[in-house]
Amino acid sequence: MKKITIQHIKNLKSLKTSFPTITAYDYMSAKIVDEAEIPLILVGDSASMMIYGYDTTIPISMEEILLLTKAVSRGSKRSLIVADMPFLSYQPSIEETIKNAGKLMKEGGAAAVKLEGGVRIKQNVYALVEHGIPVLGHVGLTPQSYHQMSGYKVQGKNNQEAKQIIDDACALEEASAFGIVLECIPEALAEKITNTLTIPTIGIGSGKKCDGQIQVFHDILGYSSDKPPGHAMQYDSLYSSVLKSVKKYKSDIES
Ligand code: KIV
């Protein structure tokens, strides 16, 4: 089976229809996503909450995301695997950025990495690409800045914020990112960025006008006891059905 390439993802921009992407954090979910022919899997730092039970994406470490990336790589034969770079694994210096991104590729088997930020991390993105490490950008609501943003809120609602997000997206394209996640920005702004850039935009909570969409694996399956975010597209209620099965097992054994 042929692996999806970066060029393939870039070419998806010219499709008339939107393309799906999704997160996965383990071997079996990666197998399922692969079999469903989703072209791109993100080993997202949302694993911080979904897998490790932390409150935000801030605590997850390089070691924790690396373990998950290895498992996803073993499960996926076809999808392009992008690994999220954890908070403070790229902000301190270009050297740290390259060393940590290199680990996710060399040891984890990822084909690319994702970083949050725009203008502020342009040099890091440029250096990664120069060293042969493809980059997916991420602007708008950047969850690693949870405290800086005083919580999770739609970004880019006023002109000044919107201009900053456009500048960030353009900086990432100039630094040769192959695509950009647009998280929780108004649909009209997402459309403007999508029409301005030559690389694909992948939206979450940013309306229907992006080139592609991304969702969190556990959100689409309803596999969480927490209320999903408003933009989650839920197709199942796994948490309650798994709970039912485990309870049934318990009562079978006890009787
Ligand atoms: O970690 C993640 O799941 C993400 C997506 C929401 C884009 O960054």
Side-chain angles (χ1 to χ4, degrees):
M1 199 177 295
K2 256 183 109 185
K3 263 278 186 204
I4 298 281
T5 61
I6 298 286
Q7 190 56 52
H8 179 103
I9 301 294
K10 282 172 126 178
N11 292 346
L12 296 177
K13 186 163 181 89
S14 57
L15 287 185
K16 290 274 176 289
T17 55
S18 185
F19 66 90
T21 70
I22 193 165
T23 67
Y25 318 107
D26 63 26
Y27 173 77
M28 209 50 82
S29 49
K31 270 193 92 122
I32 292 168
V33 171
D34 215 59
E35 203 174 317
E37 301 193 358
I38 304 266
L40 184 150
I41 296 178
L42 171 68
V43 186
D45 59 0
S46 46
S48 188
M49 293 85 85
M50 297 305 176
I51 302 297
Y52 292 111
Y54 298 121
D55 280 349
T56 66
T57 58
I58 293 169
I60 194 167
S61 65
M62 265 300 295
E63 289 67 32
E64 286 168 326
I65 214 136
L66 184 58
L67 269 181
L68 306 182
T69 307
K70 287 181 182 178
V72 167
S73 296
R74 287 193 284 268
S76 161
K77 300 280 167 280
R78 181 176 174 276
S79 312
L80 184 100
I81 297 168
V82 181
D84 237 338
M85 295 198 70
F87 179 55
L88 291 190
S89 69
Y90 56 97
Q91 291 92 340
S93 70
I94 303 242
E95 287 72 24
E96 284 278 295
T97 310
I98 293 167
K99 193 183 87 205
N100 286 323
K103 263 194 183 173
L104 294 169
M105 269 183 111
K106 280 172 74 112
E107 298 174 34
V113 294
K114 177 167 82 59
L115 284 68
E116 293 183 7
V119 174
R120 158 175 80 72
I121 55 148
K122 184 176 178 183
Q123 293 311 320
N124 308 56
V125 174
Y126 183 74
L128 285 171
V129 178
E130 279 288 288
H131 285 80
I133 303 176
V135 174
L136 180 63
H138 184 159
V139 302
L141 193 166
T142 46
Q144 292 176 6
S145 308
Y146 174 78
H147 295 295
Q148 186 102 320
M149 295 179 309
S150 298
Y152 301 125
K153 300 178 191 143
V154 174
Q155 302 291 305
K157 289 211 283 195
N158 62 47
N159 288 345
Q160 194 190 342
E161 270 182 27
K163 182 179 176 316
Q164 183 60 55
I165 295 170
I166 295 171
D167 289 350
D168 284 337
C170 291
L172 291 170
E173 173 161 81
E174 276 163 29
S176 301
F178 72 88
I180 304 185
V181 170
L182 304 178
E183 180 163 356
C184 291
I185 63 172
E187 183 168 83
L189 178 58
E191 183 177 22
K192 186 168 179 187
I193 295 173
T194 301
N195 292 339
T196 303
L197 301 183
T198 60
I199 53 174
T201 58
I202 302 177
I204 176 160
S206 299
K208 294 183 184 160
K209 303 289 171 63
C210 298
D211 298 305
Q213 293 289 330
I214 187 156
Q215 285 280 307
V216 168
F217 189 79
H218 289 53
D219 286 347
I220 71 158
L221 297 175
Y223 197 21
S224 170
S225 54
D226 298 332
K227 193 172 173 288
H231 54 67
M233 300 167 75
Q234 194 175 331
Y235 299 90
D236 215 326
S237 304
L238 267 202
Y239 189 89
S240 53
S241 81
V242 171
L243 178 63
K244 201 166 137 208
S245 300
V246 174
K247 280 184 169 169
K248 174 86 174 68
Y249 163 69
K250 177 174 179 268
S251 72
D252 281 354
I253 296 298
E254 286 171 347
S255 61

